[in-house]
Amino acid sequence: MTPETKYWRGDSLDRHSRENGNPALYQDIPGFCKAAKLDDIRKHGHVFTLGRYVGPEAAEDDGKPFDEKMKRLAAMLREQQAEGAKVDTVIAANLKEIGYGG
């Protein structure tokens, strides 16, 4: 069992936080664990897929504007797509050379 499960259950084993030595009580950790209420579970049709309850891990703000990041990422994607097209051409030529080209 993970320590978080033990804390959630109220077990007294190792009740100290690894980070700061304070008593470790259960708390939800985005992207890792959540104590879902029965009403939430009912709303999801009793499906226990973790992502429905836990959600994504909290993202740190790097202070860079979204528009700037998207422009950089879009340019990187275009470069990778161009490189992928070159690799596809080489693979197709190699397959043709060994008798498996279309």
Side-chain angles (χ1 to χ4, degrees):
M1 235 186 260
T2 67
E4 288 74 17
T5 304
K6 292 176 183 176
Y7 299 149
W8 178 81
R9 288 177 28 171
D11 291 352
S12 60
L13 303 173
D14 186 23
R15 300 283 294 170
H16 288 68
S17 169
R18 292 180 290 256
E19 291 82 24
N20 57 21
N22 293 331
L25 302 175
Y26 174 81
Q27 56 185 335
D28 293 343
I29 302 171
F32 183 67
C33 61
K34 178 180 178 170
K37 303 289 184 203
L38 189 54
D39 285 342
D40 292 335
I41 295 169
R42 281 188 190 115
K43 288 177 193 173
H44 290 288
H46 296 89
V47 175
F48 294 108
T49 305
L50 293 178
R52 293 177 185 250
Y53 307 99
V54 175
E57 184 176 354
E60 291 184 30
D61 183 7
D62 60 6
K64 295 180 182 175
F66 177 79
D67 190 52
E68 180 183 307
K69 287 192 281 189
M70 280 305 299
K71 286 178 183 175
R72 180 181 55 80
L73 291 171
M76 184 186 302
L77 175 62
R78 286 189 291 274
E79 290 173 13
Q80 292 172 343
Q81 288 173 323
E83 184 64 28
K86 290 177 190 176
V87 171
D88 287 344
T89 301
V90 170
I91 291 171
N94 288 341
L95 285 172
K96 187 174 184 180
E97 187 176 314
I98 60 173
Y100 294 99

